[in-house]
Amino acid sequence: MLFNKVSYRRGIIEGVIIYAIGRLGALITPAVFPDWMFVAVPLLFLVFQYILPPVWAARRMTSTKRERISKRFWLLGPRIAAICLGLDIVISLCCGLPLTMFEVQQGPVLLRLFARGASHLTLTGYLFYELRTAVFLFVFYTIAVVCTRLAGGGFLRFTMPAGGNRVTL
Protein backbone atom coordinates (compact mmCIF):
# COMPACT_ATOMS: atom_id res chain seq x y z
CA MET A 1 0.00 0.00 0.00
CA LEU A 2 1.31 3.39 -1.00
CA PHE A 3 0.20 6.54 0.72
CA ASN A 4 -2.05 9.16 -0.88
CA LYS A 5 -3.34 7.59 -4.09
CA VAL A 6 -3.39 10.31 -6.74
CA SER A 7 -5.02 11.10 -10.07
CA TYR A 8 -3.68 10.09 -13.48
CA ARG A 9 -2.42 13.60 -14.24
CA ARG A 10 -0.62 13.99 -10.92
CA GLY A 11 1.00 10.56 -11.32
CA ILE A 12 2.41 11.64 -14.68
CA ILE A 13 3.66 14.94 -13.25
CA GLU A 14 5.38 13.18 -10.34
CA GLY A 15 7.04 10.70 -12.72
CA VAL A 16 8.33 13.51 -14.92
CA ILE A 17 9.67 15.42 -11.90
CA ILE A 18 11.53 12.32 -10.73
CA TYR A 19 12.99 11.90 -14.24
CA ALA A 20 14.05 15.57 -14.30
CA ILE A 21 15.87 15.20 -10.97
CA GLY A 22 17.74 12.15 -12.27
CA ARG A 23 18.53 13.78 -15.61
CA LEU A 24 19.83 16.97 -14.04
CA GLY A 25 21.87 14.92 -11.56
CA ALA A 26 23.41 13.02 -14.48
CA LEU A 27 24.99 16.30 -15.62
CA ILE A 28 27.27 16.35 -12.58
CA THR A 29 30.76 15.01 -13.16
CA PRO A 30 31.14 11.81 -11.04
CA ALA A 31 34.64 12.84 -9.91
CA VAL A 32 32.99 15.46 -7.68
CA PHE A 33 31.71 12.78 -5.31
CA PRO A 34 34.15 11.38 -2.71
CA ASP A 35 35.09 7.73 -2.05
CA TRP A 36 32.35 5.14 -2.50
CA MET A 37 29.86 7.84 -3.53
CA PHE A 38 31.80 8.10 -6.80
CA VAL A 39 29.87 4.99 -7.94
CA ALA A 40 26.72 5.12 -5.79
CA VAL A 41 25.45 8.60 -6.66
CA PRO A 42 25.60 8.22 -10.48
CA LEU A 43 23.79 4.88 -10.09
CA LEU A 44 21.17 6.63 -8.00
CA PHE A 45 20.69 9.18 -10.78
CA LEU A 46 20.23 6.32 -13.27
CA VAL A 47 17.55 4.81 -11.05
CA PHE A 48 15.84 8.22 -10.88
CA GLN A 49 15.94 8.46 -14.69
CA TYR A 50 14.92 5.02 -15.85
CA ILE A 51 13.40 2.85 -13.10
CA LEU A 52 11.61 5.04 -10.59
CA PRO A 53 9.41 7.33 -12.78
CA PRO A 54 7.16 4.71 -14.45
CA VAL A 55 6.97 2.50 -11.36
CA TRP A 56 6.19 5.45 -9.07
CA ALA A 57 3.51 6.84 -11.40
CA ALA A 58 1.82 3.46 -11.89
CA ARG A 59 1.85 2.60 -8.17
CA ARG A 60 0.48 5.97 -7.05
CA MET A 61 -2.52 6.15 -9.38
CA THR A 62 -6.00 5.31 -8.21
CA SER A 63 -8.04 2.78 -10.10
CA THR A 64 -11.37 1.11 -9.68
CA LYS A 65 -11.48 -2.31 -8.09
CA ARG A 66 -12.28 -4.02 -11.41
CA GLU A 67 -9.67 -2.14 -13.42
CA ARG A 68 -6.40 -4.00 -13.48
CA ILE A 69 -4.89 -2.76 -16.69
CA SER A 70 -6.98 -0.61 -18.98
CA LYS A 71 -6.20 1.46 -22.05
CA ARG A 72 -5.10 4.41 -19.94
CA PHE A 73 -2.46 2.29 -18.21
CA TRP A 74 -1.27 0.83 -21.52
CA LEU A 75 -0.75 4.42 -22.69
CA LEU A 76 0.78 5.63 -19.42
CA GLY A 77 4.27 4.32 -20.24
CA PRO A 78 4.48 5.87 -23.72
CA ARG A 79 2.94 9.12 -22.45
CA ILE A 80 5.48 9.52 -19.65
CA ALA A 81 8.27 8.48 -22.04
CA ALA A 82 7.24 11.13 -24.59
CA ILE A 83 7.20 13.87 -21.97
CA CYS A 84 10.53 12.72 -20.52
CA LEU A 85 12.07 12.57 -24.00
CA GLY A 86 10.99 16.17 -24.65
CA LEU A 87 12.47 17.17 -21.31
CA ASP A 88 15.67 15.27 -22.15
CA ILE A 89 16.02 17.14 -25.44
CA VAL A 90 15.57 20.51 -23.74
CA ILE A 91 18.06 19.67 -20.98
CA SER A 92 20.58 18.33 -23.51
CA LEU A 93 20.35 21.41 -25.71
CA CYS A 94 20.57 23.87 -22.82
CA CYS A 95 22.72 22.12 -20.20
CA GLY A 96 24.55 19.14 -21.72
CA LEU A 97 24.48 15.40 -22.23
CA PRO A 98 24.40 12.96 -19.31
CA LEU A 99 27.80 11.67 -18.26
CA THR A 100 29.18 8.19 -17.90
CA MET A 101 31.58 7.18 -15.13
CA PHE A 102 34.83 8.88 -16.23
CA GLU A 103 33.63 11.77 -18.38
CA VAL A 104 33.71 15.50 -17.77
CA GLN A 105 30.83 17.79 -18.72
CA GLN A 106 31.59 19.56 -21.99
CA GLY A 107 28.64 21.93 -22.08
CA PRO A 108 25.31 22.35 -23.85
CA VAL A 109 24.69 20.59 -27.14
CA LEU A 110 23.79 23.88 -28.85
CA LEU A 111 27.29 25.20 -28.21
CA ARG A 112 29.00 21.90 -28.97
CA LEU A 113 27.34 21.64 -32.41
CA PHE A 114 29.12 24.83 -33.50
CA ALA A 115 32.36 24.35 -31.55
CA ARG A 116 35.63 23.21 -33.04
CA GLY A 117 38.12 20.76 -31.59
CA ALA A 118 37.67 18.02 -29.04
CA SER A 119 34.32 19.22 -27.71
CA HIS A 120 32.67 19.28 -31.17
CA LEU A 121 29.49 17.20 -31.47
CA THR A 122 28.07 16.25 -34.84
CA LEU A 123 24.36 16.59 -35.50
CA THR A 124 24.13 12.92 -36.52
CA GLY A 125 25.86 11.89 -33.29
CA TYR A 126 23.38 13.89 -31.25
CA LEU A 127 20.38 12.57 -33.20
CA PHE A 128 21.63 9.00 -32.76
CA TYR A 129 21.92 9.60 -29.00
CA GLU A 130 18.36 10.96 -28.81
CA LEU A 131 16.99 8.12 -30.96
CA ARG A 132 18.64 5.55 -28.69
CA THR A 133 17.24 7.34 -25.64
CA ALA A 134 13.75 7.47 -27.19
CA VAL A 135 13.68 3.76 -27.97
CA PHE A 136 14.90 2.86 -24.51
CA LEU A 137 12.43 5.17 -22.75
CA PHE A 138 9.40 4.03 -24.74
CA VAL A 139 10.13 0.32 -24.44
CA PHE A 140 11.27 0.28 -20.83
CA TYR A 141 8.62 2.66 -19.49
CA THR A 142 5.83 0.66 -21.16
CA ILE A 143 7.13 -2.62 -19.75
CA ALA A 144 7.65 -1.10 -16.29
CA VAL A 145 4.12 0.36 -16.12
CA VAL A 146 2.45 -2.84 -17.33
CA CYS A 147 4.41 -5.03 -14.92
CA THR A 148 3.78 -2.64 -12.02
CA ARG A 149 0.05 -2.55 -12.70
CA LEU A 150 -0.15 -6.31 -13.06
CA ALA A 151 1.80 -6.87 -9.86
CA GLY A 152 -0.32 -4.40 -7.92
CA GLY A 153 -3.65 -5.43 -9.43
CA GLY A 154 -3.73 -9.07 -8.44
CA PHE A 155 -1.75 -10.69 -11.24
CA LEU A 156 0.69 -12.21 -8.77
CA ARG A 157 -1.97 -13.31 -6.27
CA PHE A 158 -3.52 -16.73 -6.17
CA THR A 159 -5.92 -18.58 -3.92
CA MET A 160 -5.21 -21.95 -2.36
CA PRO A 161 -8.08 -24.11 -1.18
CA ALA A 162 -7.78 -24.94 2.48
CA GLY A 163 -10.88 -26.85 3.48
CA GLY A 164 -13.86 -24.59 4.03
CA ASN A 165 -11.77 -21.43 4.12
CA ARG A 166 -9.65 -20.12 1.29
CA VAL A 167 -6.25 -18.54 1.73
CA THR A 168 -5.16 -15.80 -0.65
CA LEU A 169 -1.44 -15.25 -1.07
Side-chain angles (χ1 to χ4, degrees):
M1 293 283 177
L2 217 92
F3 56 93
N4 298 341
K5 293 284 189 175
V6 297
S7 68
Y8 189 79
R9 179 181 302 165
R10 182 158 174 195
I12 290 175
I13 291 170
E14 288 176 359
V16 170
I17 289 171
I18 292 169
Y19 177 83
I21 291 169
R23 181 61 178 83
L24 290 171
L27 295 172
I28 301 170
T29 303
V32 171
F33 304 112
D35 299 334
W36 59 273
M37 292 177 66
F38 177 80
V39 175
V41 174
L43 288 176
L44 180 69
F45 291 141
L46 283 175
V47 168
F48 269 58
Q49 283 182 67
Y50 297 113
I51 297 173
L52 199 56
V55 173
W56 179 267
R59 293 277 301 160
R60 293 258 298 155
M61 287 186 192
T62 57
S63 62
T64 62
K65 188 137 181 109
R66 302 172 111 202
E67 176 188 47
R68 292 206 177 152
I69 187 148
S70 64
K71 184 178 178 181
R72 74 182 188 143
F73 285 110
W74 278 104
L75 295 176
L76 176 63
R79 185 168 291 153
I80 293 176
I83 296 169
C84 290
L85 180 65
L87 186 63
D88 180 66
I89 291 170
V90 169
I91 290 173
S92 294
L93 291 173
C94 297
C95 300
L97 294 172
L99 301 174
T100 58
M101 195 56 79
F102 298 106
E103 289 182 346
V104 175
Q105 187 59 254
Q106 296 180 1
V109 169
L110 281 176
L111 294 178
R112 290 182 62 197
L113 288 173
F114 301 108
R116 301 213 184 268
S119 65
H120 176 68
L121 179 66
T122 63
L123 183 60
T124 56
Y126 174 66
L127 292 177
F128 179 71
Y129 162 76
E130 289 297 342
L131 179 66
R132 184 174 44 107
T133 303
V135 168
F136 186 76
L137 284 175
F138 278 96
V139 170
F140 186 73
Y141 276 26
T142 303
I143 290 171
V145 166
V146 169
C147 290
T148 302
R149 289 304 300 173
L150 288 175
F155 174 72
L156 298 177
R157 291 177 22 203
F158 59 92
T159 303
M160 294 178 5
N165 299 329
R166 298 201 177 270
V167 177
T168 301
L169 302 173

